[in-house]
Amino acid sequence: DARNQRENSISGNKEAEQMQELIGKMSSRQATPDYLRTFADTIDNVYLAYMAVNNLKAGDNLSTYEKLNERLKSELPDDPMTKEFEKRIASEKQKAQALAATAVGQPAAMISAPDRSGADLPLASLAGKVVLIDFWASWCGPCRRENPHVVEAYKKYNKKGFEVYSVSLDNNKDRWLKAIEKDNLVWDSHVSELKKWNSQAAAAYGVKSIPATFLIDQDGKIVGKNLRGSQLTSKLKEIFGA
């Protein structure tokens, strides 16, 4: 396998000692991010560099990942490991861009998806309202447990200008519709591409787990993220003043 291939490519006493040092540090949890970054930057053997970098969180160490990626493309251009590593970096970059784009204060991405009848329903149709973009699914237990809080907030603040734009990550239309009915999600704006995690709407907001919510103000700016229960109510009270 890939690990055996890497270890078989580590020859000589010095490299074997360096590998044992790295494994020892990782086993005893002494391999700090600084240690791993320095090890990867200074080690001659690219396989050992890979072992070190693979133990760093990609999102927090993109520059280190990119540096190693250049080495892998130069030294091991045809290795499947190089291709896989490049894909990981592309995925992390996309995630980082989505996080930056959905930070509080940023303009909300104007997504659109099919509604319950199959007609396109854009988020922009709720322009001028305070909107909770709610990513959920019928199969998501935590989402279903959060739904009563969203219903309560909707009933309290809808007449003041609060709306909910529910984006379901279901892939079964019947289950989606039954969950809307069972949980009494009385607002009109329900959409789903019925593609589960392949939802373009979810990708636009960097959604990797649900429930995930984004509260946008009357100007279309994100003013809150993942507000649950009383947190949502408190924020709406702050916006509407009562």
Side-chain angles (χ1 to χ4, degrees):
D1 62 13
R3 182 173 177 178
N4 288 335
Q5 182 187 349
R6 290 197 293 277
E7 292 183 0
N8 290 338
S9 303
I10 296 166
S11 57
N13 288 338
K14 183 183 175 186
E15 289 181 342
E17 286 171 11
Q18 289 168 331
M19 182 177 76
Q20 288 308 316
E21 178 200 321
L22 176 62
I23 291 171
K25 290 271 191 187
M26 290 190 298
S27 299
S28 60
R29 301 194 175 184
Q30 293 178 323
T32 64
D34 279 342
Y35 168 82
L36 292 169
R37 281 190 290 265
T38 303
F39 186 96
D41 286 346
T42 56
I43 202 80
D44 289 331
N45 187 294
V46 71
Y47 288 98
L48 284 176
Y50 176 88
M51 283 175 69
V53 172
N54 210 34
N55 282 276
L56 287 167
K57 284 185 180 177
D60 298 333
N61 298 276
L62 271 178
S63 60
T64 302
Y65 265 67
E66 286 179 327
K67 205 180 294 182
L68 176 60
N69 190 42
E70 291 307 311
R71 279 190 70 183
L72 288 169
K73 287 195 291 187
S74 171
E75 298 177 40
L76 303 168
D78 300 319
D79 195 305
M81 182 174 76
T82 302
K83 309 292 183 193
E84 180 268 338
F85 197 73
E86 199 162 17
K87 280 183 186 172
R88 275 170 64 190
I89 290 177
S91 173
E92 286 299 328
K93 279 185 173 177
Q94 185 184 37
K95 198 188 299 181
Q97 287 167 353
L99 274 174
T102 58
V104 170
Q106 292 296 314
M110 286 297 125
I111 52 177
S112 189
D115 66 9
R116 287 170 283 186
S117 71
D120 208 47
L121 180 61
L123 174 61
S125 65
L126 299 175
K129 303 278 189 181
V130 172
V131 182
L132 183 73
I133 307 168
D134 186 6
F135 291 91
W136 74 295
S138 67
W139 46 261
C140 167
C143 303
R144 303 292 295 273
R145 288 192 290 275
E146 184 63 24
N147 277 343
H149 299 296
V150 181
V151 171
E152 184 184 352
Y154 178 80
K155 287 180 176 176
K156 186 171 183 179
Y157 290 103
N158 173 244
K159 288 180 181 175
K160 296 186 177 186
F162 174 58
E163 287 289 348
V164 182
Y165 185 83
S166 289
V167 184
S168 163
L169 299 191
D170 276 280
N171 59 359
N172 181 301
K173 186 172 184 179
D174 189 49
R175 286 179 192 161
W176 169 43
L177 297 181
K178 280 181 179 173
I180 292 171
E181 186 178 352
K182 186 171 184 181
D183 291 4
N184 197 29
L185 309 183
V186 293
W187 47 90
D188 294 328
S189 301
H190 288 278
V191 300
S192 182
E193 295 150 277
L194 297 173
K195 293 179 179 178
K196 214 167 183 178
W197 291 109
N198 293 319
S199 159
Q200 290 183 357
Y205 278 84
V207 172
K208 299 292 181 185
S209 64
I210 51 175
T213 64
F214 301 84
L215 186 67
I216 64 174
D217 67 9
Q218 296 95 330
D219 299 320
K221 283 191 177 177
I222 298 170
V223 293
K225 293 172 70 169
N226 295 322
L227 301 172
R228 305 265 188 270
S230 60
Q231 294 175 322
L232 175 60
T233 309
S234 294
K235 189 65 181 178
L236 292 172
K237 186 176 180 181
E238 180 188 312
I239 293 170
F240 293 113

